[in-house]
Amino acid sequence: MRLPPHLTTCASCALALALLQAAPAHAADGDPRFTLRLGAMNIDSSNTLRGSGTIGGQELAFDEDFDLGGKEWEPRVDGLFRISERQRLIFDYFRYDKDRRQALGESISFDGTTVPAGSFVKGNLKYQVASLVYDYAVIDGERFDLGLQLGAEYAKVDANAYADLGQLYQGQVLDEKTDGIAPVVGARLTFTPSEHWLINLQGQYLNTRWGNFDDYEGDLSRANAIVQYNVNPNFGIFAGYDWFKLDVDRKGSDGLIGLKQEFKGPLVGVSLSF
């Protein structure tokens, strides 16, 4: 994956700051310098579209949930580069891409209007999040670490829908997209109860006002937990749970439109350390 220019710049600054502070810059004894986790998440999503405005002199408002179908496995990648005993750079990438088509089996009539059988609505939702944060362990114990995080997060959302209702209507009913980058803050708890086991808890928060998300206002929250078993110093397996929530509104001259999306589900994968 090619990182956006803003994220690359932030990464360079974070790395430079960390190297300046590290004295000396070496990994803790027995801890790997670099860890890469390759996994997949079984995603269950919920989506709400809301809006208000004036059309033809009439005030309209709506708040509707829409279902994208069953759960789906999607890739998830994260990595850790240990700069010193207390300092880390942590990278994370998540993607969701889902298509849905809903057809009408039989015609429906109301108020003298008929929606013919075979009418359909089809839509697509794409969602990507990539983050790079500097993590400093304010508590660095033998079996327990508490890290505070500051970095940058890139998010991209693309939602569109097309409707074919016979002679009533044919065309685009939804076409919303945005992407941007903003500072993100977070915290991490890591437990190592034994040589082979690791438990990691992490949470992060971003507000769109901190970055450049055009006219969208809202926030992005995320949290995850994993339990990892290290088969040997270089290879491990893990399982856990991940959760993301995006809640944004965009105001314009013709009204307001908002989008709330929540992604959650279990994840599994392998860990490679060097």
Side-chain angles (χ1 to χ4, degrees):
M1 173 190 151
R2 184 177 179 183
L3 291 177
H6 300 83
L7 195 54
T8 305
T9 302
C10 182
S12 301
C13 293
L15 178 59
L17 176 63
L19 291 175
L20 286 173
Q21 290 183 349
H26 60 82
D29 293 340
D31 291 329
R33 169 76 73 174
F34 178 74
T35 297
L36 178 66
R37 294 188 181 98
L38 304 174
M41 178 179 171
N42 190 18
I43 300 172
D44 182 14
S45 68
S46 61
N47 308 273
T48 302
L49 186 67
R50 58 182 180 265
S52 61
T54 303
I55 299 179
Q58 183 178 4
E59 293 288 337
L60 297 176
F62 61 92
D63 190 335
E64 296 291 335
D65 297 332
F66 58 97
D67 185 11
L68 290 173
K71 298 179 181 179
E72 189 164 317
W73 287 97
E74 290 286 353
R76 187 186 182 285
V77 180
D78 69 85
L80 179 151
F81 178 72
R82 187 183 297 272
I83 301 167
S84 70
E85 186 174 353
R86 289 181 178 267
Q87 299 178 93
R88 301 165 174 81
L89 288 179
I90 299 176
F91 167 77
D92 191 287
Y93 172 71
F94 164 77
R95 186 194 73 184
Y96 181 75
D97 190 343
K98 181 75 172 181
D99 293 294
R100 180 78 187 277
R101 187 181 188 274
Q102 188 72 39
L104 187 63
E106 57 184 36
S107 61
I108 298 177
S109 298
F110 58 94
D111 295 336
T113 301
T114 299
V115 181
S119 298
F120 68 88
V121 176
K122 62 179 181 180
N124 173 259
L125 172 63
K126 296 180 180 178
Y127 180 73
Q128 295 183 74
V129 177
S131 65
L132 183 63
V133 299
Y134 170 73
D135 179 293
Y136 183 81
V138 293
I139 299 177
D140 182 32
E142 183 179 351
R143 299 296 183 188
F144 168 77
D145 287 351
L146 170 61
L148 299 182
Q149 300 174 346
L150 177 64
E153 190 155 278
Y154 171 79
K156 181 177 182 180
V157 180
D158 188 343
N160 60 77
Y162 174 86
D164 185 340
L165 307 179
Q167 296 182 352
L168 287 178
Y169 181 81
Q170 291 183 353
Q172 203 81 10
V173 293
L174 174 65
D175 188 10
E176 288 294 319
K177 62 179 65 177
T178 187
D179 70 329
I181 189 169
V184 61
V185 294
R188 171 190 56 83
L189 293 174
T190 302
F191 302 90
T192 51
S194 70
E195 178 183 356
H196 293 283
W197 289 97
L198 178 143
I199 301 171
N200 195 75
L201 310 174
Q202 185 172 249
Q204 294 177 344
Y205 176 81
L206 173 154
N207 192 298
T208 58
R209 294 182 180 180
W210 300 346
N212 58 341
F213 284 88
D214 298 327
D215 298 325
Y216 287 85
E217 294 184 0
D219 53 37
L220 171 63
S221 306
R222 57 189 307 189
N224 63 75
I226 67 166
V227 177
Q228 178 173 310
Y229 178 76
N230 297 313
V231 179
N232 58 49
N234 302 114
F235 179 77
I237 56 175
F238 68 87
Y241 196 87
D242 222 336
W243 173 82
F244 300 78
K245 186 181 77 170
L246 175 71
D247 194 349
V248 294
D249 293 303
R250 179 171 63 86
K251 295 181 180 179
S253 58
D254 53 350
L256 176 146
I257 188 166
L259 182 64
K260 179 180 178 181
Q261 297 176 309
E262 187 173 353
F263 306 91
K264 58 184 181 296
L267 59 103
V268 294
V270 297
S271 172
L272 307 173
S273 301
F274 308 95

